[in-house]
Amino acid sequence: MIIKTNSNTFIPTGTSDLLIESVKNNLRLKGKVLDLGAGSGYVGLNLLRQFKDKFELYSSDISKNSVNLIKTNARINKKKVTAKSGSLFRPWKNYRFDFIINDVSGISKEVAKISPWFKNTSCDSGNDGTKLTLKILRDSNKYLSKKGIICFPILSFANEKKILINLKEKFNHIKKIGEKDWVLPKEMTSKVFILEKLKKKGYISFKKKFGLIIWSTKIFIAHN
């Protein structure tokens, strides 16, 4: 699949690929599927290919530039998508989805500042990385169908415990469907002291192994 990106749009990462792989191996997407915070459309369009166009794809991003890029990538790959710009669920009033895939930024904004992932894109996710994720979890039931499922990553560069506590308050069924550890990018090694401060405050977590900083992504699904 050909996915064009540009300097003003979030570039897909290993977490993006883990999200695709986890959904492909554990879910059967059908009906209406929302890719929330879609960026270039990388996750949603790849899933549409994996599932052989057996669901209706809806994608949104706060950036109008990203939405234009989603439409371009859909056209290049001959895929059908309804794409809108706006913050979180704002473009989807009166819509109900069978699956919601949360692709919105979910790391501490202080980590984002020193990372190679957010050079030209915003990451308004708060000091502990939970701000946007918690908003999505709070409002998601308004946009899910009766048996709808939400799928999302939790990164250890956010307050995982806080997210899981909120998740258990909102949903009856929660399952982890994917997990992977990552080595800290070389570009961030000189800023480890910032990570240490955030970890001490309980905002993020990571491990040290053989002199390396190891962080993780976990993919969860939830429904009632």
Side-chain angles (χ1 to χ4, degrees), residues 19-30:
L19 184 54
I20 293 168
E21 181 184 358
S22 299
V23 170
K24 180 186 72 172
N25 292 338
N26 292 277
L27 298 173
R28 291 294 174 263
L29 299 189
K30 60 183 180 180

Side-chain angles (χ1 to χ4, degrees), residues 54-139:
K54 290 183 179 179
F55 63 84
E56 298 175 38
L57 178 60
Y58 298 77
S59 300
S60 62
D61 197 280
I62 195 170
S63 164
K64 291 182 179 180
N65 176 70
S66 293
V67 171
N68 289 334
L69 196 54
I70 292 167
K71 293 176 180 178
T72 296
N73 284 325
R75 186 170 63 252
I76 290 171
N77 292 284
K78 298 180 180 179
K79 300 297 180 186
K80 184 178 179 181
V81 61
T82 300
K84 297 186 179 187
S85 64
S87 177
L88 304 182
F89 289 113
R90 194 168 294 173
W92 305 112
K93 184 178 180 181
N94 298 324
Y95 280 77
R96 290 275 181 170
F97 300 97
D98 299 290
F99 294 89
I100 294 174
I101 298 168
N102 173 22
D103 212 5
V104 173
S105 305
I107 67 172
S108 163
K109 69 177 183 180
E110 299 304 320
V111 176
K113 287 177 184 177
I114 63 172
S115 80
W117 310 308
F118 292 88
K119 290 182 179 180
N120 297 301
T121 55
S122 64
C123 182
D124 183 23
S125 52
N127 289 330
D128 68 354
T130 67
K131 179 181 175 182
L132 299 178
T133 300
L134 294 184
K135 281 185 177 180
I136 290 167
L137 293 180
R138 181 193 67 203
D139 296 335

